[in-house]
Amino acid sequence: MAEQLIDKFNRVVDYVRISVTDRCDFRCVYCMSEEMTFLPRAQILSLEEIQLIAQAFVELGVSKIRLTGGEPLIRNGISQLVSTLSALPGLKELNMTSNGSQLPRLAKDLKAAGLNRLNISLDSLDEKRFKELTRSGDLSQVLNGIQAAKRQGFSHIKLNAVILKGRNDHEILALIDYIRQHQLDISFIEEMPLGQISEHDRQQTFMSSHEIRELIQEQHAMEKIDVSSGGPSEYWRFLDGHNSRVGFISPHSHNFCGSCNRVRLTAEGRLLLCLGNEHSVDLRAVVRQHPGELAPVKQAIRDAMLIKPERHYFNLAQEVKILRFMNTTGG
Ligand code: SAM
Ligand code: SF4
């Protein structure tokens, strides 16, 4: 029988999110502070180191990998990395979360390299608000990126939208119209207290999945469906038969920890065992001490399962406990 990674709470870990860079061409207000210091290049895993660690995970039973960041598409050599990882025997799904800005240029290469699915972040369809929320993003580039990905044959493209009350909550129905018009899915994400920000007060802008769903249901009848993408989203479908799906990622109001099947590798090679806790193992130290060797990194990963925490606790009323930003965490 093939090996599996199982933690202390009997959860099978078969999904890894890999952050390939902490850098980004956007500065989303909920994800980063305006002035960010990024990691020096020498501290970032090389593409060869990422490949070695990914292979170790797949040999340990991981069947799904998501590449993320920062913005994965600004990492040099990303298409080559996709090509190498997609060829790993045993890997069933290789997906990516991107802000979409580089897709007009790269969608074709990514498809050819074997990327299976794309999640694209989009919080606003209004040019001015999009610029405000991303601090530097160009909406038309992202919309073109979505169309480029569709033209290359990516199916079930899913948008990710973080909704902030008073900022983009009045765009929820426009986003729903957009996904229905373009045959996309969407997940709405509750903002999480990762990293210290001063741009807005997270407690004041918080909008729960429940509130978002009620607002959508005033216009569109929906019912919950019993599917899992292997991630944290809970999915709903439209009763009028339209096949776009609407997901809700609710780290505050619902806890998805009980069925957590995933771990994260940060750009500098820290294996994070939980999104909302600091428990981690330094895999970069292991791969730099034993370059090119699979056995030591596999053992470090097996050992790490013993410290995967049972759950996280987020409380917007308290001081931020997790100082790392989402771009370093690998969302
Ligand atoms: N740059 C890529 C993108 O934006 O899709 C991938 C990395 S980004 C960190 C991954 C996802 O995390 C995005 O959908 C983003 O909206 C979400 N995100 C970032 N900071 C967040 C926060 N504090 N709370 C909730 N979601 C967050
Ligand atoms: Fe960049 Fe993604 Fe963070 Fe926005 S959410 S700043 S696009 S890493």
Side-chain angles (χ1 to χ4, degrees):
M1 199 115 143
E3 193 171 348
Q4 277 188 324
L5 290 170
I6 301 177
D7 76 355
K8 268 196 332 213
F9 306 97
N10 250 342
R11 294 171 298 193
V12 174
V13 172
D14 58 5
Y15 179 13
V16 182
R17 297 189 179 212
I18 299 180
S19 171
V20 297
T21 177
D22 61 332
R23 289 163 199 255
C24 187
D25 49 345
F26 292 2
R27 296 283 183 280
C28 300
V29 295
Y30 46 77
C31 178
M32 295 192 184
S33 61
E34 191 152 22
E35 296 302 322
M36 291 288 288
T37 311
F38 295 107
L39 292 163
R41 289 210 191 273
Q43 286 186 27
I44 300 277
L45 291 179
S46 68
L47 295 181
E48 292 72 22
E49 288 167 339
I50 295 176
Q51 283 159 19
L52 185 78
I53 295 173
Q55 185 179 346
F57 270 112
V58 174
E59 290 187 11
L60 291 168
V62 162
S63 58
K64 181 168 163 181
I65 291 179
R66 175 173 297 281
L67 299 177
T68 177
E71 175 46 42
L73 294 182
I74 63 165
R75 174 87 197 237
N76 282 336
I78 186 69
S79 301
Q80 184 51 49
L81 180 68
V82 168
S83 174
T84 313
L85 298 193
S86 68
L88 286 173
L91 186 68
K92 295 199 184 98
E93 261 189 75
L94 179 62
N95 301 336
M96 182 181 283
T97 302
S98 164
N99 66 24
S101 68
Q102 306 303 312
L103 280 172
R105 181 170 69 83
L106 289 173
K108 190 172 177 199
D109 293 353
L110 293 171
K111 187 70 186 168
L115 188 72
N116 296 116
R117 286 175 68 165
L118 267 167
N119 285 1
I120 303 173
S121 301
L122 181 67
D123 305 324
S124 170
L125 290 162
D126 176 275
E127 215 172 298
K128 191 162 157 272
R129 193 164 309 103
F130 185 85
K131 177 85 66 194
E132 241 169 63
L133 290 171
T134 58
R135 292 199 182 98
S136 59
D138 175 355
L139 175 65
S140 63
Q141 224 175 316
V142 174
L143 297 181
N144 289 339
I146 294 171
Q147 296 311 323
K150 281 187 71 181
R151 274 196 306 279
Q152 291 306 322
F154 282 103
S155 62
H156 293 98
I157 296 173
K158 190 177 79 162
L159 303 187
N160 279 341
V162 176
I163 301 298
L164 308 186
K165 208 173 259 179
R167 303 289 286 274
N168 61 345
D169 53 330
H170 58 290
E171 286 202 62
I172 293 169
L173 289 173
L175 285 163
I176 292 289
D177 287 346
Y178 181 81
I179 58 145
R180 285 166 61 96
Q181 189 186 345
H182 295 276
Q183 313 294 328
L184 308 164
D185 295 336
I186 192 166
S187 276
F188 291 100
I189 310 176
E190 290 176 350
E191 184 180 2
M192 291 175 265
L194 300 178
Q196 196 91 50
I197 54 165
S198 54
E199 199 265 354
H200 59 276
D201 176 344
R202 282 173 167 147
Q203 213 179 339
Q204 277 181 13
T205 54
F206 179 72
M207 185 149 184
S208 72
S209 293
H210 181 74
E211 290 172 276
I212 298 172
R213 193 163 51 243
E214 286 205 324
L215 197 143
I216 301 170
Q217 284 179 309
E218 282 173 19
Q219 291 291 319
H220 301 278
M222 295 195 299
E223 71 175 5
K224 192 171 165 202
I225 43 177
D226 200 15
V227 293
S228 165
S229 60
S233 267
E234 189 180 276
Y235 286 101
W236 291 61
R237 72 174 187 92
F238 295 109
L239 290 184
D240 63 7
H242 198 288
N243 58 12
S244 287
R245 293 190 310 186
V246 184
F248 297 93
I249 301 180
S250 319
H252 294 266
S253 33
H254 291 272
N255 215 286
F256 43 60
C257 303
S259 58
C260 182
N261 61 342
R262 49 201 169 271
V263 290
R264 293 175 160 79
L265 181 68
T266 69
E268 81 271 39
R270 194 149 71 100
L271 180 64
L272 286 174
L273 283 313
C274 172
L275 180 63
N277 281 291
E278 289 297 1
H279 304 60
S280 71
V281 170
D282 183 2
L283 292 186
R284 185 185 64 196
V286 179
V287 295
R288 294 203 173 162
Q289 207 180 348
H290 307 275
E293 284 182 50
L294 275 167
V297 68
K298 280 169 81 171
Q299 194 50 45
I301 295 169
R302 283 188 200 103
D303 294 346
M305 291 304 117
L306 298 174
I307 58 161
K308 184 167 166 61
E310 187 171 14
R311 54 165 297 166
H312 66 251
Y313 298 90
F314 285 142
N315 187 344
L316 292 175
Q318 286 176 1
E319 236 179 275
V320 169
K321 289 216 176 80
I322 302 290
L323 296 177
R324 64 183 142 76
F325 286 98
M326 194 63 163
N327 71 305
T328 3
T329 304

